[in-house]
Each structure stands twice: as C-alpha cells, then as structure tokens.
Amino acid sequence: MKSRTPFSINLKLILLCFFFLLILILVTRSSFSSSQQPISETHLSNSTSTNQEPQSSTTTPCPSLPLSQTCSKTPPSLANALIHYATTNITPQQTFKEISVSARILAKKSPCNFLVFGLGHDSLMWTSLNHGGRTVFLEEDKSWIEQILERLPTLESYHVEYDTKVHQADQLIKIGMEEDCKVVSDPRFSKCQLALKGFPSEVYDIEWDLIMVDAPTGYHDNAPGRMNAIYTAGLMARNREEGETDVFVHDVDRVVEDKFSKAFLCEGYLTEQEGRIRHFTIPSHRARLGRPFCP
C-alpha cells in the first residue's frame, strides 16, 4: 500500500474528477429519494380513499411550484479526500483502471463493511468511496501507521504482525492443499497453518462485504508476503452466514499473488482482472453446505 514514487499529475487530475463525479451521484440520489417520497404518500392516500365511503367532494389543491428545496452538503469524508489529494503530490499507487474495478463494486454496495490489508496514500480514498460504511486497515509497519494517522487521524487502522517470509511460499502453498485448509470456519479456530489468528477480535466478528489484499510487503524474499493474507481473506468470505464477498488482490503480476489468489480464492470465482488487480466474488459456504472449496 505504500507509494514510494509519485505518480504523474494526470492520474491526480483524473482522481479529482472521479471524486467530483461521485459527489454529483450522491447529491442526485439524495434529491431523487426526496422527490419520490411525497409521490408514494399521495399514492397511498388515494388508494386508501377508494376503499372507504365517499366523502366530501372538496379536493386539496396541488401545491404551487417550485417546491421547497433541501440543501445537500458534501459528505465530510469526501470533502477531506478532495482537499487531501488536491494539496499533495503523492497519488494512490493503483492505476485509474485498477481503482475503477473496486470503485464500481463500492458504488453498488456502499455503505458497507470494507477490510483492507495495508495502509497507504490511497486509504483516504477508500474510506471516502465507502462513505457511511466502515473501512478498516490492517498494517504491519507501526511507524508507518503513526505517520499516516498523524496526517489522516480519521482512518481506522490496526497494527498486525506476520511471521512468514516470501521465500517460504512454495512450502506454504503445499500446506494449503491439506484437508485442514479446506475446512471453512472462523480463522481463529482453523487448523490450517495459513489462517491468520492474531487480528483484533472485531476483524473476525464483522462480516466483510469487500476485502482488499494490498499488503503486507511482498517484493523481496525476506518480506512477510501475502500468502496468509490471501488465504485468510478467502476463508473469511466463505465463512459469512449468507451472501457473497468481493475480494480484490493487487500486484498479481508477482508470483506469490498470482499463485495464491488462483489457489485459495479460486479461478472459478474470478470475476475480472484489470492490470495488476484481480476481483473474485466468493459466496458463503455456510449458506449452502457441501460446496467444494473451489468450484
């Protein structure tokens, strides 16, 4: 999630336009909802009166136009994001097309529960796109959390630890093929060595509608790698009571992200790939018992 080199100004401008468009959609939706309410009430009133005894023939005159208008303010999270990205030279590390993959799902599901592995310069954007929902970030670098939260204190982030290394990936993927790793359960009680069990309890208690795996660090052999994060994201998705979870994995151009996402999020659940990001839609395995781990 950390961005080590600034992206071009063009991406920055595109993102600002994207936020303005989202604000317009929210305002339009709010105005549309307000305009629909009186209509449905009038329809209900008319329907009721047809089933009752005829009353006096006096009719209520229609209200004169224009009707009173309501002022729709920009949500604070969106306003903060606009100001932040307009005044910084650092932009999110995903490309516009990659961001659009998950943004489209957020537009449909928000406000919702959104879990993100990693904390970075794009975190305020994700929180803003999930306006009214809960967006939680899990980050392995404690000093990085302090640095980000000093500038963006409204973000909800937790420090987590990983005890694996990228060079162990081949051994871990073999472990993941064992029967214990195909049993769907709360990760805290899983017998699979790939399941992460040290997160705050609320991370396990919440049913996540979206999960983004963009951490931990995985670009060198001694980095923690995303093997366990990818497996655990899939396990959380399968373990929800009903419905489905959209899981996104970034940096699938790398070997670990490529192999582990295909193995544990399953190619049969793969919905879309754009650039370096993959989108999987994983249904609840508790709602329909007997589902195979992968379709």
Side-chain angles (χ1 to χ4, degrees):
M1 293 289 286
K2 302 177 188 177
S3 179
R4 299 186 179 272
T5 57
F7 275 65
S8 68
I9 193 68
N10 290 335
L11 177 59
K12 180 177 176 181
L13 292 174
I14 291 172
L15 287 171
L16 286 174
C17 292
F18 185 81
F19 278 118
F20 279 119
L21 179 61
L22 182 62
I23 291 171
L24 180 62
I25 292 171
L26 288 171
V27 172
T28 304
R29 183 189 297 175
S30 176
S31 301
F32 180 76
S33 299
S34 299
S35 65
Q36 291 299 305
Q37 184 62 29
I39 294 174
S40 75
E41 288 176 356
T42 303
H43 181 269
L44 178 61
S45 176
N46 291 340
S47 300
T48 304
S49 63
T50 58
N51 297 325
Q52 296 175 347
E53 293 296 324
Q55 299 182 7
S56 73
S57 59
T58 59
T59 58
T60 304
C62 294
S64 59
L65 297 176
L67 298 174
S68 60
Q69 298 181 354
T70 57
C71 178
S72 298
K73 290 185 177 181
T74 302
S77 61
L78 290 177
N80 290 337
L82 284 169
I83 295 170
H84 172 74
Y85 290 115
T87 56
T88 181
N89 291 325
I90 302 174
T91 53
Q93 71 178 68
Q94 293 186 27
T95 67
F96 176 75
K97 287 185 177 180
E98 290 170 350
I99 290 171
S100 297
V101 173
S102 41
R104 284 194 298 270
I105 304 302
L106 279 169
K108 294 177 183 177
K109 288 193 169 183
S110 66
C112 62
N113 294 320
F114 187 14
L115 179 66
V116 184
F117 285 79
L119 179 71
H121 298 295
D122 53 2
S123 297
L124 182 59
M125 176 188 68
W126 296 128
T127 299
S128 302
L129 292 176
N130 189 28
H131 172 67
R134 185 173 185 180
T135 307
V136 173
F137 302 92
L138 305 177
E139 171 60 40
E140 83 258 30
D141 188 337
K142 202 168 187 178
S143 62
W144 180 247
I145 295 175
E146 294 171 356
Q147 184 179 336
I148 292 292
L149 294 187
E150 185 177 350
R151 291 185 288 112
L152 304 170
T154 59
L155 298 179
E156 183 178 0
S157 180
Y158 298 97
H159 177 241
V160 295
E161 296 180 349
Y162 301 92
D163 58 4
T164 56
K165 302 294 181 185
V166 170
H167 64 76
Q168 299 172 321
D170 289 341
Q171 177 186 355
L172 291 172
I173 203 166
K174 290 178 182 177
I175 291 173
M177 296 298 115
E178 296 174 359
E179 286 304 311
D180 283 344
C181 295
K182 295 181 180 179
V183 176
V184 174
S185 67
D186 185 316
R188 288 172 291 187
F189 312 122
S190 173
K191 295 181 180 180
C192 180
Q193 293 182 41
L194 286 173
L196 292 167
K197 303 176 182 180
F199 295 158
S201 59
E202 55 195 307
V203 173
Y204 302 104
D205 294 337
I206 294 172
E207 288 195 345
W208 301 101
D209 302 297
L210 283 81
I211 302 177
M212 172 79 72
V213 181
D214 204 2
T217 308
Y219 59 87
H220 59 88
D221 281 350
N222 288 317
R226 300 176 186 172
M227 300 81 68
N228 299 57
I230 291 171
Y231 173 82
T232 303
L235 192 58
M236 287 178 169
R238 292 177 177 88
N239 193 53
R240 67 180 298 152
E241 274 194 41
E242 58 184 9
E244 59 188 24
T245 303
D246 293 280
V247 182
F248 306 88
V249 179
H250 194 226
D251 297 314
V252 294
D253 55 323
R254 301 193 304 216
V255 174
V256 166
E257 285 80 355
D258 176 42
K259 288 186 176 180
F260 276 73
S261 65
K262 287 179 178 178
F264 301 115
L265 303 182
C266 305
E267 293 185 76
Y269 292 142
L270 178 61
T271 303
E272 180 181 4
Q273 178 169 341
E274 176 62 56
R276 298 173 297 149
I277 197 163
R278 280 186 190 142
H279 171 208
F280 299 82
T281 303
I282 302 178
S284 165
H285 282 218
R286 291 170 59 189
R288 199 186 86 186
L289 299 179
R291 284 185 190 268
F293 191 80
C294 283

